[in-house]
Amino acid sequence: MLHIKSLRPLASWLLGGALLLGGQHALADGYGIKIAGVEITEANANALDAALGSSRLTSGSIVYKATEKTLKFSDVTLSAGEENALEFTQAGEYTLAVEGEPGSISSQKMGIVLSEGVKLTIKSRTQGMFSITGSTQGVKLTKAELVI
């Protein structure tokens, strides 16, 4: 026969575990953007340089401002390898702000992929050219909108 005293610790342990798992799940949820295969999450949005590593992000820095849905590239040269360079998978309006020295993003797959319901506005403050290349396609739109 179980006593109420022995049920309280068990209930606390189960509830604590459920909250912990729920918290981990929430941290794993992304913003619907991938850079070179790396999902942007709340945990890495301010440290994307480290998340991408120097083999992908060869120069510059990338920051995602979730409240503004703005991806900021400063002096960026990004090589995505066999991943899509930029992929927007969650419907919504986003901005890609390109600043600093001329740079580029490249991929052996696609440069930019916009899924259904995505509107991406690219704003550039560079003095030179910013190139987007993909071996398959530079930009792929699926019922999406691109404003440059």
Side-chain angles (χ1 to χ4, degrees), residues 19-43:
L19 290 174
L20 178 62
L21 289 175
Q24 287 175 343
H25 179 69
L27 287 176
D29 288 345
Y31 293 113
I33 304 171
K34 289 183 182 179
I35 303 173
V38 175
E39 179 80 25
I40 299 177
T41 65
E42 185 177 342

Side-chain angles (χ1 to χ4, degrees), residues 51-130:
L52 289 165
S54 61
S55 63
R56 292 185 192 133
L57 183 62
T58 56
S59 68
S61 67
I62 301 174
V63 175
Y64 182 66
K65 296 180 181 181
T67 55
E68 301 168 18
K69 290 191 172 185
T70 298
L71 192 57
K72 183 180 173 186
F73 280 20
S74 297
D75 306 320
V76 165
T77 301
L78 175 77
S79 177
E82 295 184 12
E83 300 287 341
N84 294 323
L86 286 178
E87 190 170 357
F88 294 82
T89 59
Q90 186 175 325
E93 294 189 20
Y94 301 90
T95 300
L96 172 59
V98 180
E99 300 178 349
E101 296 297 315
S104 66
I105 59 173
S106 63
S107 168
Q108 293 173 8
K109 288 178 82 177
M110 292 184 233
I112 298 179
V113 178
L114 304 180
S115 297
E116 185 173 347
V118 171
K119 177 182 179 182
L120 176 64
T121 301
I122 300 176
K123 297 179 179 180
S124 176
R125 295 186 183 138
T126 63
Q127 293 298 321
M129 184 176 78
F130 185 80

Side-chain angles (χ1 to χ4, degrees), residues 133-146:
T133 58
S135 296
T136 311
Q137 293 175 323
V139 179
K140 179 183 178 186
L141 306 171
T142 306
K143 296 183 181 177
E145 184 177 349
L146 177 64

